[in-house]
Amino acid sequence: VWVWIEQFRGEVISSSWEAIRAGRSIVDAFGGQVTACAFGQGVEGLAQEAIQYGADRVLLADDATLADFRVEAYAPLLTRLAQEHKPAAILLGATTRGRELAPTVAAALETGAIADVTALEVEDGNILATRPIYSGKLSSKCVIPERRPQIVSLRPRAFPRPEPDGGRTGEIVHVAPALAEDEIKTKVTGFAAAEGQVSLADAAIIVAGGRGVGGPDGFAPLVDLTKTLDAALGASRAAVDAGWIPYAQQVGQTGKTVSPDLYVACGISGAIQHQAGMRTSKIIVAVNKDPEAPIFKLAQYGIVGDLFQVVPALTAAFKERLD
Ligand code: FAD
């Protein structure tokens, strides 16, 4: 079982470790090896880290052409390696990059890709992957019969993250990139970081606001709560469409799919399209003026009230406990 190790500026995205752990449990039950594929520039250290997290072997491509993720450079490399070594499966995080790489490689290898999987089993030698469909209303079980490798992207935070074991050893195999720079059509010309924000996909806690916040300034009490809880800020589409908050923060069917430990929905009615992006959150807290709001059917904890009173009170209570 192969796992693609996604990294950004040398730091591994947590869902890659979750994928290694998922690969490890398949291999431990059915035999075989976990091979990590680490691509980048100056990423030798990642190979060692991948072994500590559970890989037996690492295919390491360290080259300037791989410094930034570009599907045009990464997909031909992963495709070529898979053609040479014929893995049974390739697992990767269902992140923005993972969801671009998985189908591109699957198309090149003429095999299947199952996206955004929340549970894995193995049946008759095939991976049986569970993924939510119809905005999370149903779960479907998918297999890729016959064609290999089975390419499966795993929803971030849906699988447990392993603990690193400094005592593990493994093999590191250096591999060459598939393309030279002049053969790669896209160029990375710059990068602008969003300052001081916790990424939605990786966040253990998300505080999200909807139309109920009333305007761009209405997010201020939510931002205070995110700072206290080290949480990410999310939003409904209504708030994004109104121009109160960037699209990058949108949660839902046409936004991001998230699975935090705690999701605090403030002034969000809980439309099915919003639920599609957050219903697999472990604990949902809803703050809404309307006791009939559909979000209360999904939430484990509901607070009926004005978010401008409730959210600052929550922030104050958390501050007191966390200090
Ligand atoms: P509303 O439904 O207007 O709810 C606002 C809530 O705030 C109400 O329940 C109200 O009681 C409460 N409220 C108001 N004032 C306060 C206050 N002071 N304190 C507490 N509560 C208050 N939506 C998404 O979110 N994400 C998506 O990805 C998405 N994709 C879509 C895709 C398609 C194809 C379509 C058709 C729709 C999509 N939508 C999506 C839109 C979705 O249908 C809803 O319109 C949207 O989620 C509503 O956002 P909201 O809950 O913020 O607003």
Side-chain angles (χ1 to χ4, degrees), residues 131-140 253 272 275-276 279:
R131 61 185 302 271
I133 54 167
Y134 298 123
S135 301
K137 282 270 183 199
L138 292 177
S139 289
S140 69
Q253 189 182 318
I272 181 74
Q275 291 189 19
R279 66 184 309 148

Side-chain angles (χ1 to χ4, degrees), residues 9 40 55 60 113 121 130 172 231:
R9 312 252 142 155
L60 177 69
E121 297 158 70
T130 304
I172 299 177

Side-chain angles (χ1 to χ4, degrees), residues 63-272:
D63 191 80
T65 55
L66 303 168
D68 289 295
F69 175 81
R70 287 178 290 176
V71 77
E72 295 81 0
Y74 276 48
L77 176 55
L78 191 53
T79 302
R80 191 199 72 207
L81 293 172
Q83 281 163 338
E84 283 170 14
H85 298 270
K86 308 214 175 323
I90 304 177
L91 307 182
L92 60 184
T95 57
T96 306
R97 298 183 195 103
R99 292 178 79 152
E100 191 178 11
L101 187 61
T104 311
V105 172
L109 294 172
E110 297 188 8
T111 184
I114 309 176
D116 201 24
V117 165
T118 53
L120 286 182
E121 297 158 70
V122 175
E123 209 175 78
D124 302 330
N126 290 319
I127 289 179
L128 188 59
T130 304
R131 61 185 302 271
I133 54 167
Y134 298 123
S135 301
K137 282 270 183 199
L138 292 177
S139 289
S140 69
K141 289 201 170 178
C142 307
V143 286
I144 301 169
E146 296 159 21
R147 311 297 299 196
R148 292 293 180 266
Q150 306 158 83
I151 300 184
V152 180
S153 70
L154 309 182
R155 179 176 291 191
R157 299 182 52 81
F159 292 83
R161 185 190 157 130
E163 286 299 322
D165 170 359
R168 287 195 85 240
T169 53
E171 185 193 1
I172 299 177
V173 182
H174 289 264
V175 294
L179 300 177
E181 186 57 47
D182 59 7
E183 296 171 296
I184 305 169
K185 290 196 182 73
T186 51
K187 307 290 166 202
V188 178
T189 57
F191 167 72
E195 299 236 339
Q197 284 182 5
V198 180
S199 133
L200 267 183
D202 299 332
I205 305 179
I206 295 174
V207 178
R211 204 194 310 270
V213 305
D217 298 340
F219 276 98
L222 278 60
V223 170
D224 286 345
L225 183 55
T226 61
K227 286 184 184 151
T228 304
L229 295 178
D230 196 18
L233 184 66
S236 73
R237 178 161 157 179
V240 172
D241 283 353
W244 301 344
I245 186 161
Y247 168 70
Q249 309 310 121
Q250 184 179 317
V251 172
Q253 189 182 318
T254 44
K256 296 218 164 65
T257 306
V258 296
S259 257
D261 296 333
L262 174 64
Y263 189 90
V264 186
C266 309
I268 293 178
S269 61
I272 181 74

